[in-house]
Amino acid sequence: MAKLGVNVDHVATVRQARGVAEPDPVTAAALAELAGADSITVHLREDRRHIQDRDVEILRRTVKTRLNLEMAATDEMVGIALKILPDCVTLVPEKREELTTEGGLNVFLNRNLIKRQADLLRQGGVIVSLFVDPDLEQIKAAHRVGADYIEIHTGAYCEARTNEERRGELAKIETAIRAGHKLGLGVNAGHGLNYQNVGDVIALGGIEEFNIGHSIVGRAVLVGMEQAVRDMLALLRRG
Ligand SMILES: CC(=O)[C@@H](O)[C@H](O)COP(=O)(O)O
Ligand SMILES: NCC(=O)COP(=O)(O)O
């Protein structure tokens, strides 16, 4: 059965909207774990628009499952990760003006930089995952720079407007899963997944862990964090 990593970024988004102390993503992470989450993900953005350094520091001490830190491949972020030592770092592309992560890392083009950062993280005992589009050139490059995992960006599938487009994106994800396994990489997936669209990706098989945030936090606002996580876990288990 695929595992569920719960991304609590958007609990912090609500907090930052008022610049106050609540709701606390640390509490949300604890509730997600109580409901059965297999890991907790946070994205420490360079602009600190939601998750703050303080959140990551406390989560490192409180998360009982695994902490996955999403971050840009910069010297500042690698320095923070080597101080905090999350279980896993997922390197992601970042643009200041984007609403959310648009597209995967260009590992092929930035292979020297990414290899240097990945080597430093791995020497520090941190598992390294690269957030990539379902694109064979990028997956091969991820293998060449020594990544342990890829996380397949499912955004294009989630945003597909027609059934034909959706089927095409799903086929790309399936090919990417098989290519990752062939190269000996662990394969995770995430971005834009919700209670309606996750089933078809689960059905492909071969995904070790799904990282899901916005839709779970959105549902949690209405039904509570534990219920929202349990609802998503039920879909994964039905798989
Ligand atoms: C990398 C990714 O797909 C997301 O998990 C990421 O966290 C998106 O950033 P926002 O949480 O800021 O939308
Ligand atoms: N890496 C994907 C992630 O952590 C969650 O993305 P989303 O569900 O918030 O779109």
Side-chain angles (χ1 to χ4, degrees):
M1 191 186 70
K3 295 180 188 147
L4 175 63
V6 176
N7 180 322
V8 294
D9 287 356
H10 297 297
V11 176
T13 302
V14 176
R15 176 189 63 191
Q16 297 309 114
R18 282 290 176 94
V20 289
E22 289 175 333
D24 192 340
V26 175
T27 311
L31 291 172
E33 287 189 314
L34 277 178
D38 296 290
S39 68
I40 299 299
T41 290
V42 285
H43 183 173
L44 183 67
R45 281 184 172 269
E46 290 184 279
D47 64 8
R48 308 299 199 271
R49 68 173 70 162
H50 41 49
I51 293 295
Q52 306 295 304
D53 299 58
R54 161 265 181 212
D55 300 327
V56 188
E57 284 157 19
I58 301 178
L59 285 167
R60 174 62 298 179
R61 285 183 270 129
T62 57
V63 164
K64 294 180 180 60
T65 53
R66 282 173 290 113
L67 179 62
N68 172 37
L69 176 62
E70 293 184 332
M71 56 180 228
T74 63
D75 291 344
E76 183 209 2
M77 286 297 157
V78 171
I80 291 172
L82 288 174
K83 192 161 66 86
I84 288 182
L85 297 178
D87 299 282
C88 175
V89 159
T90 302
L91 295 176
V92 305
E94 222 173 85
K95 281 193 237 132
R96 210 48 69 84
E97 64 281 6
E98 69 192 359
L99 266 186
T100 184
T101 312
E102 293 167 355
L105 270 178
N106 194 333
V107 188
F108 183 77
L109 203 68
N110 300 297
R111 54 192 177 274
N112 294 334
L113 169 77
I114 292 173
K115 179 166 178 10
R116 182 158 43 82
Q117 309 289 35
D119 284 350
L120 287 171
L121 291 163
R122 279 165 56 89
Q123 281 156 21
V126 178
I127 291 169
V128 174
S129 180
L130 302 181
F131 188 65
V132 292
D133 288 328
D135 175 311
L136 292 185
E137 184 182 59
Q138 298 299 338
I139 294 167
K140 285 184 201 155
H143 172 63
R144 279 200 294 272
V145 300
D148 302 293
Y149 280 81
I150 50 168
E151 178 171 329
I152 300 173
H153 189 333
T154 49
Y157 158 73
C158 297
E159 284 158 24
R161 291 186 176 272
T162 63
N163 284 339
E164 195 188 345
E165 220 183 292
R166 197 168 300 114
R167 274 197 298 275
E169 293 301 332
L170 212 49
K172 286 188 206 163
I173 294 172
E174 184 168 25
T175 306
I177 296 170
R178 309 297 163 233
H181 287 161
K182 238 184 180 171
L183 292 166
L185 294 162
V187 179
N188 299 329
H191 198 89
L193 294 169
N194 60 35
Y195 298 83
Q196 287 73 43
N197 63 22
V198 74
D200 285 346
V201 188
I202 296 170
L204 297 175
I207 303 280
E208 183 171 321
E209 186 160 63
F210 287 90
N211 284 313
I212 306 181
H214 189 271
S215 64
I216 292 178
V217 173
R219 181 174 288 218
V221 170
L222 304 176
V223 305
M225 193 67 184
E226 291 181 73
Q227 188 61 51
V229 171
R230 281 197 202 103
D231 291 348
M232 187 58 80
L233 280 169
L235 295 175
L236 262 62
R237 286 179 183 144
R238 205 186 297 160

